Amino acid sequence: MTLSFTHMLSFQSVVQKMGLNTGLSKVHTSAGQGQKNRSNPPRESVLCLFTLSHINERIKMRIQSCYHGEGRLSLPWLLNKELLCISTTMRIHDSFCGLVLNQPIGGLQVIEGIPLLEEKVDGMASVAAYSYNGHSVVFVGTRAGTLKKIRVDSPTDVVLYESVPVVTGKPILRDMVFGPDGHSIYMLSEKQVSRVPVESCQKYNTCLSCLGSGDPHCGWCVLHNKCCRKSECERAEEQNRFTGNLTQCVHLEVTPNNASVSAAELLLTLSVQNVPSLSAGVTCSFSDMAESEATVGDEYIQCSSPSLYQVPSITGGLGASHTVQLHLKSKETGMRFASTDFVFYNCSVLQSCLSCVSSLYPCHWCKYRHLCTHNAEQCSFVEGRVNNTDGCPEIIPTGEILIPVGVVQPITLKAKNLPQPQSGQKNYECVFTIQGKVQRVPAVRFNSSSVQCQNTSYTYEGNESGALSVAFSVVWDSHFYIDKPSTFKALLYKCPAQRESCGLCLKADPRFDCGWCVPEGKCLLRQYCSNAKSNWMHYSKRNARCTNPRISEIYPLTGPREGGTKVTISGSNLGLHFREVWVQVAGVQCTSVPSQYISAERIVCEMEESLVPNPAPGVVELCIGDCSAEYRTHSDQLYTFVTPSFHSVSPGRGPASGGTHLTISGRNVDAGSSVSVFLRDSECQFVRRTLREIVCISPISSQGPSPVFITLKIDKSTILNMDVSYQYTEDPTITQLDPAWSILNGSTGITVIGTHLSTIQEPQVRAKYSGIETVNTCHILNDTLMSCKAPGIYVSNPEDSLDEGLQPDEFGFILDNVTSLRSLNFTVFTYYPNPTLESFGPSGTLEIKPGSHVILKGKNLLPAAPGGTKLNYTVLIGDTPCSLTVSDTQLLCDSPSQTGEHKVLILVGGLQYSPGSLRIYADSSLTLPAIVGIGAGGGLLLLAIIVVLIAYKRKTRDADRTLKRLQMQMDNLESRVALECKEAFAELQTDINELTNNMDGVKIPFLDYKTYAMRVLFPGIEDHPVLKESDVPPNVEKALRLFGQLLNNKTFLLTFIHTLESQRSFSMRDRGNVASLSMVALQGRMEYATVLLKQLLSDLIEKNLESKNHPKLLLRRTESVAEKMLTNWFTFLLYKFLKECAGEPLFMLFCAIKQQMEKGPIDAITGEARYSLSEDKLIRQQIDYKMLTLSCVCPDSDNGSEIPVKVLNCDTITQTKDKLLDAVYKGIPYTQRPKAEDMDLEWRQGRITRIVLQDEDVTTKIENDWKRLNTLAHYQVTDGSTVALIAKQVSAYNITNSFTFTRSLSRYESLLRTSSSPDSLRSRAPMITPDQETGTKLWHLVKNHDHADHKEGDRGSKMVSEIYLTRLLATKGTLQKFVDDLFETCSAQHTGAVPFHWPSNTCLTFWMSRQNEGRSPTLMCGTRGRVTASPFVSG
């Protein structure tokens, strides 16, 4: 073997590790086997280490020996002859540069290096190396296009730590160069230059994978949690900041390392090793879902486990345990730098005692509650707590439970620790699951160690199985299961099933206790057989035998007279033991074969030799025990003795390696039970046989090519025919393949030339690549010629296959058993890429004229293979082939003469391509059918034009009529709009006068200061302890007095408030209470309170600036004590101003708005009104209504005085009651009035007739799925009618309707309450959804805008809805005076009203109307977003 160096590189390395002189230079080389002398060099190569001093020393020795006249120059290939070395007296030293003599000098001595790494797959092609951080790093390019990175620390410490694909399938050429910065290496392949980083540390995500990779460039940057070079890690020189040692990876342990999902927060102690200083702080995070602050100590870190509300999101709420990652996160870098497993366990999902107490976690089983918990105190009784498996209630297997079908019997089970059901708990039950059906049987607990399923019977359907395994369980209290082994089951069996005969019955499993009942002729239990003592037969009885044996089949039916035939006899009742069975076949004794005997069903016996020369056929006779009539039988079939023979073999010759399928023809060769064929002394592998032939596969010849005789052995008979022989010939050989290439898909033709090919029956060609073997078929032409279809090979990326070809790992032939040709060594078979063809564009159709050439474009159409052989292409246009001209990129095909559209199909090497369809059109003159068609088409086109003109004329007349009709409608609409505007103006003048008159004499219900202040300070608390006079002990009284003195100390009070606010548990409610109580205590010293409040606000502003919050967010929400105190401060100071100044105009504005809205219709469902300030809530339809004046009887008056009240006939009953209550209780606070829902409206007609009016009753109108609320017009209430408000009359109907109506309104109310943005406009109309019980939808004046029954686009008799916007102007004009009065009062200077300057603290007025929503009205006033209630708020 010769070695040729592919590359040599000299460099200084860590020579001390190599065991060499520290001053030496080294050379790394990669060498392969005889590369220059082989067209396809093998891929076996080795990386070697040489020292340059050793090489120089050997060169010096060679020069010295030659100049001393020893040997030859050893360069015949250069000098064309071999010359002797010429001796000289010159001394050769290290600086010798040569003389004219003895030049040039060659050498034949081998210089041995140190092998470092062997490569057998890819093959080394180039080498580059350098030293890094005390390591020698070698980069090797391969012929497969990969870069291998190798770390060399010593001759015995060589690590291939990474392989990088560079140019797949293309060899890396010999020159490799490092980049200027040394961070990359440049490689050259055939067609490109590639730049690859010398390290890829960033791909490693963990310390173990980073430092375990073996890459000397990589280390772990701890706090940045990344793999990188040391130079890329910040502050890498500090201790434990950067490590390159695998043993110094960060190690984290947590104690405890688990927690229950239902446990409160735990304090976790974390021990972490190999970390730098954590003075910047760390946090603990649990799987990105929960994070807590960590406390860093000298030796440990502490943090809290997640809270209860966070645990379900971490665990997912599934499983008995869930492992999450507990990470430590550095505040310095924001990166996680350590992690460990933390387990959350859930005992409650464990449903059995054994699984509970066997858990890896501290779970306890509550025996009487049948639950698993981590908290043992949840168990009802101390004695019911189970902590180990010994205390678990459990069913103990004591043996198999056998249950006969249909037999009523109890089942007693042994157990332990069975709980006694407590009061209210149900008793025990046995639950059996039989064929998917559940059968529950009452059970009795005798004591804690025994339970019995009570008497009952069991059964299962069908007789396909004699026994059925049945799962069962023991439960108590209906669903509390007692533990038992899952394999412990009951066995339910039927004696008659699958035991139709006596023999099958007696051989049944003795555990079943089944026996044969003679009178019944069935297999039964003893108790079900009449007179069982004499009629019931069981296996346990002595000499139990079944009568009436029967033979159903015998095999074989023929055999040689010499005997040895094994006869198989099948039937029923064939004895229970082979010793009691006696068999005779055709008068010849047949001996039982015990190993093949099947009790009662089958017996196999071996024939003895027949002593009769020509024995006649006979039956099989069989006796059980004795041969009396009832124990004796014979077969219906006859057994015949025959003499087998053979007379020919085909084929008569085959290869000496064997594998030929031989067919031996003869007579009776199917006789007997066994057959063997021998060629000389070697057995032929049996395949099959029939009456006249035997097929077997020839063995390898022990004596090479030679004739052999055939010996046939059937049982004990030996048959030999000296006239029949078989000829072993020499194995076939292969001498030539043409062509010696194919495409990846294979199936191209190969002509094979060789010898003795005709002796092969089923020749195949094979190829193996990347461990995958493929085969294809061959066809024998003659003894020296064979044609084959090349096998394909599977390549992962066919696009990357080499243009110069790809060689399979093995290529050869499967020729019967000839193994020498399975892999050919004399030739190299090459595979080229598959040809590909382009389609006919996006449409897939190509149009041409007849006789034109068709150009089919593609790639790899002509593989770059040697020789003149080309791929055989077939192009079919339709079903017609075309003549081809082939080039590397296209196929030129002559199109056929026919016209029309035809599919194009291209066949090559087993591949099929269809680029599309070819459309061939003729350019000749028009034919007669075409002319007729064109004429007919023209006539149809002319007729269509005439029809279109007539239709256009008719359409024009219709359009004129429509235009006139629209003109009339527009004139009508214009007049109606003008009328509406006139009415709106008249209403405006009238409304201003009426509203001014109605507001005279209105009494304002002011609240007293105490009530006003308490509602602001302590909202929702009617009877606060501050208002009570309580008796307290003297010491408490003294403590409160001293605390009151401390409150007057500014420093104490500020510190007190700041300390409370720093507490996590100090809630928003607590902040409000502290602020309110503080202001109550300080209301006598408002100057001191103002100074204190100023300091608190200053601190709040500074805190807001420090947290870098937006200034606009300050004072937006009451989130601090200072903000709440500011609110209370304004409350105290505004009372006098509101009562004396701003209160009256504000209340008058409220009353004015209310009266103006109620003057017109208001929809009780949607809240839309005729008179509104909101465009969104304006009724945009013409609603017909009438003003009524009702006489309301005062409910509290004794004399029955009546009050006139104005209402609308379109008002609902609830709206009418509200207006009556407003009139009757005018000037009384809202909270002191009765509620409308607590009163009934009674219509009095005379002295006797009285009708209670309701929003919904039996008279309510329902159209389709819409139900309309009852109005006064619905009841036909007339003007001047007398009505009365009476207490609510309770009835079942009233309750139901009240509930339905209230529930329906609540839905609309919530929707109306959220509709505060003007952007939504009419899209905010509530969705009227059907009532879930009645399926109807309520409406009052207008239906939902989106409903099909009511759309704005359906104009009909409606006007354009926008003309009703004039009502907005009318309402605004009516209320303008009251708005002006309010703002004039608020903006004026009031001496003594408020102790601060009004322009900088403008009073903002808010009005929130809840009238249409059934709520009390509320008026509010505040400054700069801080709102306080006015003193006349009574709702």
Side-chain angles (χ1 to χ4, degrees):
M1 182 179 81
T2 62
L3 293 178
S4 62
F5 298 115
T6 61
H7 195 79
M8 301 180 67
L9 184 71
S10 175
F11 68 102
Q12 292 292 329
S13 184
V14 190
V15 296
Q16 292 180 345
K17 295 183 180 179
M18 303 293 185
L20 304 170
N21 187 351
T22 57
L24 300 181
S25 295
K26 262 64 65 193
V27 174
H28 283 81
T29 68
S30 62
Q33 192 182 68
Q35 297 174 8
K36 290 187 177 180
N37 298 325
R38 301 176 66 91
S39 60
N40 183 36
R43 303 210 171 193
E44 293 85 351
S45 52
V46 64
L47 178 69
C48 297
L49 174 69
F50 295 84
T51 60
L52 289 178
S53 60
H54 183 55
I55 295 173
N56 290 333
E57 182 65 25
R58 298 301 293 272
I59 293 175
K60 178 180 177 182
M61 291 173 59
R62 170 60 178 140
I63 294 174
Q64 287 177 344
S65 64
C66 187
Y67 275 83
H68 291 166
E70 300 174 1
R72 304 170 183 268
L73 295 182
S74 302
L75 290 173
W77 56 272
L78 179 62
L79 303 176
N80 295 324
K81 58 184 176 179
E82 189 64 274
L83 299 177
L84 297 174
C85 289
I86 301 174
S87 178
T88 66
T89 59
M90 183 176 181
R91 183 178 179 183
I92 306 302
H93 48 80
D94 291 339
S95 59
F96 176 73
C97 290
L99 298 174
V100 178
L101 300 176
N102 297 332
Q103 282 197 2
I105 301 176
L108 298 178
Q109 282 189 318
V110 176
I111 302 176
E112 295 184 356
I114 302 173
L116 299 178
L117 184 69
E118 185 178 6
E119 173 59 56
K120 294 185 178 181
V121 179
D122 293 339
M124 301 183 188
S126 55
V127 179
Y130 75 129
S131 295
Y132 180 83
N133 198 22
H135 301 275
S136 297
V137 188
V138 182
F139 299 86
V140 176
T142 68
R143 297 193 193 103
T146 60
L147 176 67
K148 295 184 180 294
K149 301 178 182 179
I150 304 167
R151 190 188 74 233
V152 181
D153 291 336
S154 70
T156 58
D157 187 6
V158 181
V159 178
L160 171 62
Y161 63 86
E162 188 179 9
S163 293
V164 181
V166 181
V167 188
T168 305
K170 307 289 185 180
I172 303 298
L173 301 184
R174 298 189 178 189
D175 295 321
M176 293 197 303
V177 179
F178 290 101
D181 57 357
H183 288 181
S184 58
I185 185 170
Y186 292 88
M187 289 164 291
L188 183 65
S189 61
E190 182 180 1
K191 295 182 179 180
Q192 74 179 55
V193 176
S194 303
R195 177 179 175 270
V196 178
V198 296
E199 49 83 12
S200 53
C201 301
Q202 67 278 1
K203 75 177 184 178
Y204 302 110
N205 298 322
T206 64
C207 180
L208 293 177
S209 62
C210 175
L211 303 183
S213 66
D215 192 332
H217 306 87
C218 300
W220 189 251
C221 191
V222 175
L223 291 187
H224 289 80
N225 197 50
K226 68 177 181 179
C227 185
C228 61
R229 293 174 180 255
K230 188 173 183 179
S231 58
E232 298 172 359
C233 181
E234 295 181 11
R235 299 161 61 184
E237 300 301 329
E238 297 181 14
Q239 184 179 5
N240 292 329
R241 282 267 178 174
F242 182 86
T243 179
N245 191 339
L246 189 61
T247 61
Q248 293 181 354
C249 286
V250 177
H251 180 68
L252 176 63
E253 293 182 353
V254 58
T255 305
N257 62 357
N258 58 68
S260 173
V261 296
S262 57
E265 294 184 13
L266 297 178
L267 184 62
L268 307 179
T269 300
L270 293 86
S271 173
V272 60
Q273 301 175 2
N274 303 324
V275 293
S277 172
L278 302 177
S279 57
V282 295
T283 58
C284 298
S285 65
F286 295 81
S287 293
D288 292 328
M289 297 186 183
E291 190 167 307
S292 63
E293 193 76 19
T295 302
V296 181
D298 295 335
E299 299 180 355
Y300 56 85
I301 299 173
Q302 288 187 329
C303 62
S304 299
S305 65
S307 58
L308 290 179
Y309 76 91
Q310 293 173 320
V311 169
S313 64
I314 298 175
T315 63
L318 301 174
S321 64
H322 184 77
T323 303
V324 300
Q325 285 293 304
L326 168 57
H327 303 280
L328 280 183
K329 185 176 179 181
S330 170
K331 288 188 175 180
E332 176 187 338
T333 63
M335 302 293 293
R336 298 170 177 170
F337 63 90
S339 63
T340 187
D341 290 339
F342 191 84
V343 179
F344 289 94
Y345 61 89
N346 188 356
C347 296
S348 62
V349 304
L350 301 173
Q351 300 298 316
S352 68
C353 178
L354 290 177
S355 63
C356 178
V357 300
S358 301
S359 171
L360 298 175
Y361 310 103
C363 295
H364 307 275
W365 181 256
C366 298
K367 182 164 63 173
Y368 292 101
R369 296 182 61 192
H370 199 81
L371 61 85
C372 187
T373 177
H374 80 283
N375 185 6
E377 295 181 358
Q378 292 183 357
C379 296
S380 301
F381 307 101
V382 175
E383 61 273 13
R385 301 174 184 172
V386 180
N387 299 320
N388 53 60
T389 56
D390 294 337
C392 281
E394 186 178 2
I395 302 298
I396 302 175
T398 56
E400 194 169 24
I401 301 176
L402 300 176
I403 307 175
V405 167
V407 178
V408 177
Q409 66 178 37
I411 301 173
T412 302
L413 302 171
K414 185 179 179 180
K416 66 176 183 179
N417 305 318
L418 293 181
Q420 175 66 43
Q422 303 300 305
S423 175
Q425 293 180 329
K426 297 180 181 179
N427 214 327
Y428 282 81
E429 288 181 303
C430 297
V431 182
F432 292 84
T433 304
I434 305 174
Q435 293 180 330
K437 298 179 181 179
V438 177
Q439 182 176 354
R440 303 180 78 96
V441 180
V444 177
R445 173 187 179 274
F446 292 133
N447 48 48
S448 65
S449 61
S450 179
V451 64
Q452 185 181 77
C453 309
Q454 295 185 0
N455 280 332
T456 191
S457 62
Y458 310 86
T459 187
Y460 63 90
E461 297 178 357
N463 291 322
E464 293 79 11
S465 174
L468 180 67
S469 181
V470 174
F472 74 95
S473 303
V474 177
V475 301
W476 65 288
D477 198 18
S478 298
H479 59 279
F480 291 171
Y481 284 81
I482 303 298
D483 284 326
K484 76 173 186 62
S486 59
T487 57
F488 185 34
K489 297 183 179 181
L491 190 63
L492 191 60
Y493 66 91
K494 292 180 181 179
C495 287
Q498 299 296 314
R499 302 178 184 93
E500 296 84 358
S501 64
C502 173
L504 293 176
C505 182
L506 296 186
K507 66 177 286 188
D509 195 323
R511 300 174 301 165
F512 296 161
D513 201 25
C514 295
W516 185 256
C517 186
V518 177
E520 297 287 339
K522 289 184 179 179
C523 189
L524 301 172
L525 293 172
R526 181 184 180 90
Q527 58 265 37
Y528 291 106
C529 184
S530 60
N531 196 9
K533 186 173 182 180
S534 59
N535 293 335
W536 189 71
M537 188 185 307
H538 191 261
Y539 182 79
S540 61
K541 290 185 177 181
R542 294 185 59 188
N543 300 324
R545 288 183 299 164
C546 292
T547 60
N548 303 317
R550 187 177 65 86
I551 299 175
S552 59
E553 182 183 7
I554 61 173
Y555 178 82
L557 295 175
T558 60
R561 186 175 60 85
E562 290 79 4
T565 303
K566 292 183 178 179
V567 180
T568 301
I569 304 167
S570 302
S572 59
N573 297 334
L574 301 183
L576 300 177
H577 198 276
F578 75 92
R579 294 190 184 90
E580 63 183 8
V581 183
W582 174 85
V583 181
Q584 181 175 277
V585 180
V588 178
Q589 184 67 33
C590 194
T591 306
S592 296
V593 180
S595 61
Q596 299 184 40
Y597 175 71
I598 299 178
S599 177
E601 298 180 64
R602 187 186 76 181
I603 183 170
V604 178
C605 63
E606 185 175 343
M607 294 286 292
E608 296 181 0
E609 182 181 3
S610 175
L611 301 178
V612 180
N614 294 308
V619 299
V620 175
E621 294 181 278
L622 183 143
C623 296
I624 307 298
D626 60 68
C627 287
S628 58
E630 59 183 359
Y631 296 108
R632 182 174 182 174
T633 187
H634 62 80
S635 66
D636 296 333
Q637 297 171 297
L638 297 179
Y639 182 85
T640 305
F641 292 98
V642 296
T643 302
S645 63
F646 68 93
H647 54 76
S648 65
V649 61
S650 177
R653 67 190 184 113
S657 294
T660 305
H661 282 69
L662 304 181
T663 301
I664 302 170
S665 303
R667 298 180 58 191
N668 298 318
V669 292
D670 65 338
S673 57
S674 64
V675 61
S676 300
V677 180
F678 290 88
L679 303 184
R680 193 182 287 121
D681 54 355
S682 300
E683 185 174 359
C684 189
Q685 181 184 345
F686 176 78
V687 177
R688 67 180 182 276
R689 64 172 175 164
T690 62
L691 177 64
R692 297 189 178 276
E693 66 181 26
I694 298 175
V695 178
C696 65
I697 300 175
S698 64
I700 188 171
S701 174
S702 59
Q703 298 181 6
S706 61
V708 294
F709 291 102
I710 299 175
T711 302
L712 188 63
K713 292 185 178 182
I714 298 178
D715 297 338
K716 292 183 178 180
S717 174
T718 301
I719 302 101
L720 181 64
N721 189 343
M722 302 302 294
D723 297 332
V724 179
S725 65
Y726 176 75
Q727 179 67 42
Y728 276 115
T729 63
E730 292 185 3
D731 286 345
T733 61
I734 303 296
T735 58
Q736 184 180 346
L737 302 178
D738 186 25
W741 60 268
S742 181
I743 58 177
L744 295 178
N745 189 68
S747 297
T748 59
I750 304 175
T751 300
V752 182
I753 301 175
T755 60
H756 303 292
L757 298 178
S758 60
T759 60
I760 304 302
Q761 292 178 315
E762 297 178 357
Q764 291 179 311
V765 60
R766 64 180 289 271
K768 187 174 183 180
Y769 183 78
S770 297
I772 302 176
E773 181 177 357
T774 55
V775 296
N776 213 333
T777 59
C778 294
H779 177 64
I780 301 294
L781 301 177
N782 53 47
D783 201 42
T784 60
L785 198 61
M786 177 172 65
S787 65
C788 299
K789 293 291 186 181
I793 60 173
Y794 296 99
V795 180
S796 57
N797 291 314
E799 297 81 4
D800 297 336
S801 56
L802 299 175
D803 295 336
E804 59 269 20
L806 188 68
Q807 287 77 39
D809 301 328
E810 295 181 12
F811 186 88
F813 293 86
I814 302 174
L815 305 178
D816 294 344
N817 282 356
V818 180
T819 59
S820 59
L821 299 179
R822 291 183 67 87
S823 181
L824 301 180
N825 294 324
F826 69 88
T827 184
V828 176
F829 197 85
T830 306
Y831 282 93
Y832 294 95
N834 291 329
T836 58
L837 290 118
E838 301 176 2
S839 62
F840 290 151
S843 63
T845 303
L846 178 65
E847 295 184 353
I848 62 171
K849 295 181 179 180
S852 301
H853 295 295
V854 180
I855 299 176
L856 305 172
K857 296 181 180 180
K859 293 191 304 181
N860 304 320
L861 302 182
L862 289 178
T869 307
K870 299 180 179 180
L871 289 175
N872 183 21
Y873 288 90
T874 301
V875 178
L876 298 177
I877 300 179
D879 297 329
T880 306
C882 70
S883 56
L884 282 174
T885 302
V886 184
S887 66
D888 186 48
T889 58
Q890 65 183 20
L891 301 176
L892 185 63
C893 175
D894 294 333
S895 65
S897 58
Q898 70 264 33
T899 59
E901 188 167 336
H902 306 277
K903 184 178 181 180
V904 178
L905 190 65
I906 304 164
L907 308 176
V908 54
L911 298 172
Q912 289 187 359
Y913 296 99
S914 179
S917 298
L918 190 65
R919 185 177 298 161
I920 307 173
Y921 60 91
D923 57 355
S924 60
S925 59
L926 295 175
T927 60
L928 180 60
I931 295 174
V932 173
I934 293 174
L940 291 175
L941 179 61
L942 180 61
L943 180 62
I945 293 173
I946 294 173
V947 171
V948 169
L949 290 176
I950 294 173
Y952 175 74
K953 184 64 176 176
R954 185 173 298 175
K955 193 72 175 177
T956 303
R957 288 200 299 268
D958 293 342
D960 291 340
R961 286 196 294 268
T962 303
L963 183 60
K964 291 180 180 179
R965 185 170 61 254
L966 291 176
Q967 185 66 38
M968 294 176 63
Q969 291 179 354
M970 291 298 296
D971 293 341
N972 186 27
L973 182 61
E974 184 178 352
S975 62
R976 294 179 65 183
V977 169
L979 180 61
E980 177 69 23
C981 292
K982 290 179 181 180
E983 291 178 354
F985 181 76
E987 286 180 357
L988 175 61
Q989 299 300 323
T990 304
D991 291 344
I992 293 175
N993 296 329
E994 289 183 356
L995 190 58
T996 304
N997 296 332
N998 292 336
M999 297 303 297
D1000 293 339
V1002 175
K1003 181 181 179 182
I1004 303 176
F1006 284 106
L1007 294 178
D1008 61 275
Y1009 177 78
K1010 175 182 178 182
T1011 305
Y1012 158 76
M1014 289 303 295
R1015 290 194 177 184
V1016 176
L1017 293 172
F1018 307 104
I1021 303 177
E1022 297 293 337
D1023 192 13
H1024 198 275
V1026 171
L1027 304 177
K1028 294 181 180 180
E1029 292 292 337
S1030 57
D1031 294 332
V1032 294
N1035 57 341
V1036 176
E1037 180 70 27
K1038 180 180 180 181
L1040 291 175
R1041 186 168 57 255
L1042 293 175
F1043 182 72
Q1045 294 175 3
L1046 286 174
L1047 292 180
N1048 293 323
N1049 186 316
K1050 177 182 176 182
T1051 304
F1052 168 79
L1053 188 53
L1054 290 174
T1055 305
F1056 176 69
I1057 293 174
H1058 289 323
T1059 303
L1060 289 177
E1061 287 186 326
S1062 65
Q1063 303 298 317
R1064 283 190 175 183
S1065 59
F1066 194 52
S1067 64
M1068 295 297 296
R1069 180 180 294 275
D1070 296 335
R1071 297 171 194 264
N1073 288 333
V1074 169
S1076 298
L1077 292 172
S1078 300
M1079 289 302 295
V1080 169
L1082 299 177
Q1083 65 176 338
R1085 297 187 60 192
M1086 290 302 295
E1087 296 81 359
Y1088 169 64
T1090 304
V1091 173
L1092 181 69
L1093 181 58
K1094 181 179 178 182
Q1095 183 61 43
L1096 288 174
L1097 290 175
S1098 176
D1099 295 342
L1100 180 62
I1101 294 172
E1102 290 181 3
K1103 182 179 178 182
N1104 189 72
L1105 293 175
E1106 289 176 359
S1107 59
K1108 297 182 180 179
N1109 291 331
H1110 198 282
K1112 291 183 178 181
L1113 299 179
L1114 187 64
L1115 303 182
R1116 281 288 180 92
R1117 295 180 296 178
T1118 307
E1119 294 182 345
S1120 65
V1121 174
E1123 291 173 285
K1124 181 61 178 176
M1125 289 180 68
L1126 179 63
T1127 302
N1128 299 335
W1129 186 77
F1130 276 116
T1131 300
F1132 293 157
L1133 298 179
L1134 280 176
Y1135 178 78
K1136 184 177 180 181
F1137 170 73
L1138 289 172
K1139 188 172 182 179
E1140 296 180 357
C1141 301
E1144 180 179 352
L1146 182 60
F1147 185 74
M1148 297 298 289
L1149 175 61
F1150 161 72
C1151 293
I1153 293 174
K1154 187 174 185 299
Q1155 289 190 25
Q1156 178 65 15
M1157 288 186 62
E1158 291 180 349
K1159 193 180 69 172
I1162 300 176
D1163 193 287
I1165 302 296
T1166 65
E1168 297 179 0
R1170 175 182 175 90
Y1171 299 104
S1172 172
L1173 288 174
S1174 171
E1175 179 185 355
D1176 185 28
K1177 290 299 179 181
L1178 180 68
I1179 293 181
R1180 303 194 180 199
Q1181 297 183 26
Q1182 186 68 35
I1183 304 296
D1184 295 329
Y1185 67 96
K1186 181 180 179 182
M1187 181 76 72
L1188 302 178
T1189 302
L1190 303 181
S1191 297
C1192 179
V1193 179
C1194 295
D1196 298 332
S1197 64
D1198 297 332
N1199 55 3
S1201 61
E1202 298 181 355
I1203 299 176
V1205 181
K1206 291 183 179 181
V1207 297
L1208 304 179
N1209 66 344
C1210 62
D1211 286 344
T1212 64
I1213 306 305
T1214 300
Q1215 289 176 333
T1216 303
K1217 290 190 289 184
D1218 285 332
K1219 291 182 178 181
L1220 295 176
L1221 290 172
D1222 287 340
V1224 172
Y1225 296 97
K1226 186 176 183 181
I1228 297 177
Y1230 188 85
T1231 54
Q1232 299 177 15
R1233 302 180 186 179
K1235 302 296 186 294
E1237 55 267 22
D1238 297 332
M1239 307 294 288
D1240 272 342
L1241 179 63
E1242 187 178 74
W1243 180 20
R1244 299 182 178 181
Q1245 300 176 5
R1247 295 184 178 180
I1248 301 176
T1249 305
R1250 298 185 180 187
I1251 302 175
V1252 176
L1253 309 185
Q1254 296 177 343
D1255 287 312
E1256 292 185 67
D1257 57 16
V1258 294
T1259 67
T1260 301
K1261 294 181 181 180
I1262 301 178
E1263 297 179 2
N1264 298 328
D1265 56 347
W1266 287 91
K1267 179 191 291 186
R1268 184 168 187 176
L1269 297 180
N1270 296 339
T1271 62
L1272 295 179
H1274 170 76
Y1275 287 107
Q1276 299 181 0
V1277 177
T1278 59
D1279 189 20
S1281 298
T1282 301
V1283 295
L1285 290 171
I1286 60 175
K1288 190 75 172 181
Q1289 303 297 316
V1290 179
S1291 67
Y1293 181 81
N1294 287 346
I1295 293 174
T1296 303
N1297 281 310
S1298 176
F1299 170 74
T1300 304
F1301 184 59
T1302 303
R1303 180 185 55 194
S1304 301
L1305 287 182
S1306 67
R1307 295 200 304 267
Y1308 311 135
E1309 178 182 309
S1310 63
L1311 289 168
L1312 291 169
R1313 196 161 51 245
T1314 58
S1315 301
S1316 58
S1317 171
D1319 299 331
S1320 57
L1321 298 178
R1322 296 188 58 80
S1323 63
R1324 292 185 281 115
M1327 296 298 296
I1328 310 300
T1329 56
D1331 186 78
Q1332 295 180 354
E1333 297 179 1
T1334 63
T1336 59
K1337 293 172 284 186
L1338 293 175
W1339 72 289
H1340 176 202
L1341 300 177
V1342 293
K1343 296 180 181 178
N1344 182 25
H1345 298 294
D1346 296 331
H1347 193 267
D1349 296 344
H1350 180 75
K1351 293 185 178 179
E1352 292 183 5
D1354 185 14
R1355 300 295 177 182
S1357 62
K1358 305 181 184 68
M1359 293 188 294
V1360 179
S1361 61
E1362 282 68 17
I1363 68 170
Y1364 298 111
L1365 297 179
T1366 57
R1367 296 173 184 170
L1368 299 177
L1369 299 176
T1371 305
K1372 179 181 177 182
T1374 304
L1375 302 176
Q1376 185 66 47
K1377 175 182 179 301
F1378 300 94
V1379 176
D1380 293 342
D1381 290 346
L1382 173 64
F1383 279 94
E1384 182 179 352
T1385 303
C1386 290
S1387 58
Q1389 296 289 338
H1390 294 271
T1391 305
V1394 286
F1396 49 80
H1397 186 54
W1398 269 111
S1400 61
N1401 295 275
T1402 305
C1403 177
L1404 304 182
T1405 305
F1406 300 90
W1407 175 64
M1408 300 176 61
S1409 174
R1410 292 292 182 267
Q1411 170 166 322
N1412 294 333
E1413 302 175 6
R1415 296 179 175 230
S1416 61
T1418 303
L1419 296 178
M1420 293 187 176
C1421 183
T1423 59
R1424 294 191 180 181
R1426 192 58 67 228
V1427 179
T1428 59
S1430 69
F1432 47 82
V1433 174
S1434 57

